[in-house]
Amino acid sequence: MQHLLAKYGVTHTLLSVEDLAGIERVLRETPTRLVVFESPTNPVTKIADLAHLTGHARRAKCLTVMDNTFAGFHNHGGYDIDIFLHSLTKFASGHGDVMGGAIIANSELIAAMRKDVVSMGATLDPHAAFLIQRGMRTYFLRYERQCANALAVSLFLHAHPRIKRVFYPGLESHPQHLLAKRQMRDFGSVVSFDLDGAWDAGNRFAEALEFFSITSSVGSTESLVMPPQLLGGQEYTAAQRDAALIGRGTVRLSVGVEDASDLIADLAQALEKAFPQ
Ligand SMILES: *Cc1c(COP(=O)(O)O)cnc(C)c1O
């Protein structure tokens, strides 16, 4: 939106997904065609109030586009959302070995988009399609296990003295836990937290982990970590980073299907190495 669509004269307003009053005001004052959002948000799992957000959009006669990748296919289908986006690279394929994406919408909208999407080259090759289709057979098994592990990991992190804040919608301490519980069947595999000690500690922590690979993806069978050095978001201004709650010690985990106690033991030893006495 900032770089590509701007070239074609498309303007936008950037707001926090929690800022319902701001969203309502912009929709009232600015002619708007699309509301684009995600929930839970990357990386700190803010939750969009879907009933209110889609209600405001409907009244303003604009379409809603929800990136539903973190929540997965089995969440949010009952809401009045026009277009769902999914990265198939993540939970759908599940093994971190293929890239793809999906748009889910009514046939009229799909027909309106299909030609342009094909012209722009977003067509899967057969082998990628095969890998994603095979991954989909275990989608829910993996997702369920990843959620259970993510909750166990987030409870461990929440109780750890070196960790300032943990962001996981399944935790009762999450400011929007009750909203997430109303809207979602489960809470996903992404857990973020703020390490005391910021960058240096984050780097030592990520390097010391044995079960978590340092990478920018999520939703794989194996656990993944994004240290603050990668999460910094070079494209964001300081104000945008603050609004997104990304601090100098923010770490994002994507929790995999490994044994939860192995993951917790690994996090514990890496936290010790992150803070040498
Ligand atoms: C990874 C990701 C994308 C981009 O998907 P790719 O398949 O990597 O191009 C978009 N949205 C969310 C929420 C993601 O996690």
Side-chain angles (χ1 to χ4, degrees), residues 227-256:
Q229 290 83 349
L230 288 182
L231 263 188
Q234 308 79 355
E235 299 189 7
Y236 299 142
T237 64
Q240 285 170 347
R241 252 196 311 274
D242 286 348
L245 299 181
I246 302 171
R248 288 178 58 80
T250 307
V251 176
R252 185 187 80 189
L253 303 177
S254 170
V255 181

Side-chain angles (χ1 to χ4, degrees), residues 38 42 67 69-70 87-90 99-101 216-218 252:
E38 61 179 351
N42 181 23
D67 186 328
T69 302
F70 275 25
S87 166
L88 302 178
T89 311
K90 316 290 173 57
M99 290 184 77
S216 63
S217 195
V218 303
R252 185 187 80 189

Side-chain angles (χ1 to χ4, degrees), residues 20-77:
L20 280 175
I23 292 167
E24 193 188 2
R25 178 178 43 77
V26 169
L27 290 177
R28 205 174 45 239
E29 294 173 356
T30 315
T32 303
R33 302 279 299 278
L34 278 183
V35 177
V36 182
F37 64 97
E38 61 179 351
S39 182
T41 65
N42 181 23
V44 297
T45 70
K46 290 183 191 179
I47 304 294
D49 183 331
L50 298 179
H52 283 100
L53 202 150
T54 55
H56 291 325
R58 200 53 80 199
R59 279 188 291 283
K61 298 192 168 32
C62 61
L63 293 176
T64 44
V65 179
M66 178 177 194
D67 186 328
N68 206 25
T69 302
F70 275 25
F73 300 102
H74 63 293
N75 274 304
H76 301 145

Side-chain angles (χ1 to χ4, degrees), residues 41-46 70 150 153-154 157-158 163-169 171 174 189-195 218 226 231 244-246 249-255:
T41 65
N42 181 23
V44 297
T45 70
K46 290 183 191 179
F70 275 25
V153 159
S154 61
L157 294 170
H158 186 65
I163 287 166
K164 287 192 284 192
R165 294 188 287 192
V166 182
F167 305 96
Y168 183 64
L171 281 183
H174 188 289
S189 79
V190 175
V191 177
S192 294
F193 58 93
D194 284 343
L195 262 187
V218 303
M226 279 261 280
L231 263 188
L245 299 181
I246 302 171
T250 307
V251 176
R252 185 187 80 189
L253 303 177
S254 170
V255 181

Side-chain angles (χ1 to χ4, degrees), residues 40 70-72 74-75 91 143 146-151 168-170 184-191 255:
F70 275 25
H74 63 293
N75 274 304
F91 293 100
Y143 198 95
Q146 286 175 261
C147 289
N149 281 353
L151 182 61
Y168 183 64
M184 304 178 77
R185 297 167 199 260
D186 37 31
F187 305 106
S189 79
V190 175
V191 177
V255 181

